[in-house]
Amino acid sequence: MDDARIRDARILVVDDLELNIKLLENLLAEAGYRRVFSTTDSRQVAQLYRELSPDLVILDLHMPHRNGFQVMEDLREIEHDSYIPVLVLTGLPDHATRLRALEAGARDFLSKPFEHVEALTRIRNMIEVRLLHNEVREQNRILEEKVRQRTQQLRETQLEIVRRLGRAAEYRDNVTGMHVIRMSHYCAELARAIGWDDEACEMLLHASPMHDIGKIGIPDRILLKEGKLTPEEWEVMKSHATIGAELLSGSTSPLMHMAMEIALSHHEKWDGSGYPKGLKGEQIPIVGRIVALCDVFDALTTERPYKRAWSVEEVIAEIDRQSGRHFDPNLVEAFKSILPKILQIRERYTEKAATTAAVARHTGGHQRLVPDEKHHLPPYFQPQG
């Protein structure tokens, strides 16, 4: 290793006798060490260690206030997951003392009175080990940071794909695609209101936009039909739940598994009258119950070419009526308790600007009636054809 690096190492000498400190300082100075610090008060060692981050601590064992063993306990708390560079000074070379010192964290010993060449050799060896340890730790830190950045990039890429999948399905029958953005934020807030932690809420935020991904597999003649669907067409329309689940199945990702559960279950109803499986009550996954409520709230409070926007009061009254029938009663109460937050989200992600841009893009500046999610709403909300 480069001598200059070794001579530039930070050394902290701890001994209650000023004479011993002076002797070591002179020895180290003659050997070319430029950064030597010292103290006769063992109570100051922990603070000095934090401030200096020394590459070597030359430590006497027998001192007033805090002996060397207690000082090493202090250093272990500071360097709990790293190498503690302690060279013990001792006039007691017995086996028991050495063993106790090693167990406390000492890496080597220097017996008093020490021979100069031996002392300098042991000091140099320990500094080399410490500097190599620091190099490895820094390389590991850099590697971990690169892995973290790469993992974050992969996660952002995955989330971008997820968002685009959700928007792709929504754009087939929604002018703006803002519905999935609002609805997903509603879902995250509702989950938080019932006690979910931040990580689970964030996963739901990203998984819920894929609830209607199965609409990609519904023929345009049915999905975009402006009139009322025939019973046969309605059966095809309902199949978007199973199509979506199939599209999202088979992944080991917890996010994709949650999205698959949502796609399959968000049209189930509390009383068992929903589809595709007719699940009832708590048989329905909680994520499906959350999305069902938030999805309908946003659909009804949003104006579309085929219907006016219901007032918030009208929607809440209808949700109350459907509590225990369509919706989980506990979720209904939790939703009403966070209604101010829901309305803030609704205001933040308004349709107006997005609709203007989207209509111009899709129709060349001329308004076009789009059936939107009218076939996606529960039958009691659907327009009459």
Side-chain angles (χ1 to χ4, degrees):
M1 181 174 288
D2 184 7
D3 281 348
R5 285 188 61 198
I6 293 175
R7 299 290 188 269
D8 203 39
R10 293 178 297 275
I11 301 173
L12 175 61
V13 181
V14 184
D15 196 308
D16 61 311
L17 296 178
E18 186 70 35
L19 179 62
N20 288 340
I21 287 181
K22 288 297 183 184
L23 180 61
L24 279 167
E25 285 180 338
N26 290 337
L27 177 65
L28 291 167
E30 289 175 4
Y33 291 96
R34 296 182 286 272
R35 296 201 286 177
V36 180
F37 308 88
S38 62
T39 181
T40 57
D41 188 345
S42 58
R43 294 169 296 185
Q44 297 179 356
V45 176
Q47 183 60 34
L48 285 170
Y49 192 91
R50 291 189 180 92
E51 293 174 358
L52 300 172
S53 296
D55 300 300
L56 177 64
V57 178
I58 302 176
L59 178 67
D60 187 25
L61 284 182
H62 299 282
M63 297 178 290
H65 307 304
R66 295 188 70 74
N67 62 39
F69 299 105
Q70 293 171 317
V71 169
M72 283 189 280
E73 288 179 7
D74 296 338
L75 299 184
R76 276 207 310 273
E77 290 183 6
I78 299 171
E79 293 271 22
H80 58 87
D81 61 348
S82 186
Y83 171 86
I84 305 173
V86 175
L87 175 62
V88 165
L89 285 173
T90 177
L92 299 173
D94 61 281
H95 178 73
T97 300
R98 287 175 177 267
L99 182 59
R100 184 184 174 193
L102 288 171
E103 290 174 344
R107 303 299 174 180
D108 201 356
F109 300 90
L110 194 57
S111 299
K112 298 178 183 178
F114 51 81
E115 196 274 322
H116 289 191
V117 174
E118 179 189 1
L120 290 173
T121 301
R122 291 182 182 276
I123 288 169
R124 180 187 176 93
N125 288 345
M126 280 200 63
I127 290 173
E128 281 191 7
V129 172
R130 174 64 173 184
L131 294 179
L132 288 171
H133 169 80
N134 288 347
E135 283 183 5
V136 171
R137 186 167 61 174
E138 179 62 13
Q139 288 170 358
N140 287 339
R141 187 196 66 78
I142 292 171
L143 180 60
E144 288 172 0
E145 178 62 18
K146 287 181 178 178
V147 170
R148 187 196 66 78
Q149 291 177 355
R150 181 59 177 159
T151 300
Q152 183 63 25
Q153 289 172 355
L154 288 173
R155 175 172 169 76
E156 288 300 321
T157 300
Q158 290 171 346
L159 292 180
E160 180 65 17
I161 292 170
V162 164
R163 286 189 288 266
R164 289 180 182 273
L165 280 172
R167 295 291 294 276
E170 196 66 18
Y171 264 100
R172 287 205 62 203
D173 66 344
N174 183 300
V175 175
T176 70
M178 294 298 290
H179 164 66
V180 293
I181 296 175
R182 287 191 301 271
M183 183 275 299
S184 64
H185 283 277
Y186 298 160
C187 290
E189 282 297 334
L190 181 52
R192 186 170 289 106
I194 62 173
W196 286 26
D197 61 29
D198 290 343
E199 184 178 354
C201 291
E202 183 180 4
M203 187 178 296
L204 181 57
L205 175 71
H206 296 302
S208 53
M210 290 185 284
H211 66 293
D212 273 340
I213 188 66
K215 290 194 292 188
I216 289 174
I218 303 301
D220 286 352
R221 62 181 174 80
I222 295 175
L223 186 67
L224 302 181
K225 184 177 179 179
E226 294 190 17
K228 190 174 182 180
L229 297 179
T230 67
E232 293 78 14
E233 289 170 335
W234 179 240
E235 289 303 313
V236 173
M237 185 64 197
K238 289 194 297 183
S239 71
H240 81 273
T242 53
I243 292 172
E246 289 171 4
L247 286 171
L248 299 168
S249 65
S251 173
T252 59
S253 164
L255 174 65
M256 298 304 288
H257 180 76
M258 180 185 283
M260 183 272 292
E261 273 197 326
I262 290 170
L264 187 61
S265 64
H266 73 287
H267 283 298
E268 301 288 357
K269 297 181 183 178
W270 187 257
D271 64 5
S273 64
Y275 65 87
K277 294 185 176 181
L279 301 179
K280 185 176 183 179
E282 293 187 358
Q283 293 177 336
I284 308 167
I286 183 65
V287 289
R289 285 178 266 155
I290 290 172
V291 171
L293 177 53
C294 296
D295 193 24
V296 168
F297 176 84
D298 190 71
L300 291 178
T301 54
T302 303
E303 183 179 356
R304 291 292 178 254
Y306 67 88
K307 75 170 184 69
R308 68 174 178 86
W310 291 27
S311 70
V312 172
E313 293 75 17
E314 289 174 315
V315 176
I316 293 300
E318 186 60 40
I319 287 174
D320 269 330
R321 282 191 289 272
Q322 295 300 326
S323 179
R325 295 170 58 191
H326 188 163
F327 306 121
D328 178 341
N330 292 327
L331 289 181
V332 169
E333 293 307 310
F335 188 86
K336 290 191 294 184
S337 73
I338 60 167
L339 189 57
K341 292 182 179 179
I342 297 296
L343 297 181
Q344 287 176 0
I345 293 169
R346 179 168 168 260
E347 180 65 24
R348 187 181 315 139
Y349 300 104
T350 181
E351 290 275 317
K352 187 174 181 181
T355 300
T356 301
V359 168
R361 181 171 65 252
H362 289 296
T363 67
H366 300 289
Q367 182 78 21
R368 181 171 66 90
L369 291 181
V370 179
D372 201 82
E373 66 274 294
K374 67 179 180 180
H375 303 312
H376 176 47
L377 291 174
Y380 51 84
F381 290 141
Q382 286 190 34
Q384 299 301 309

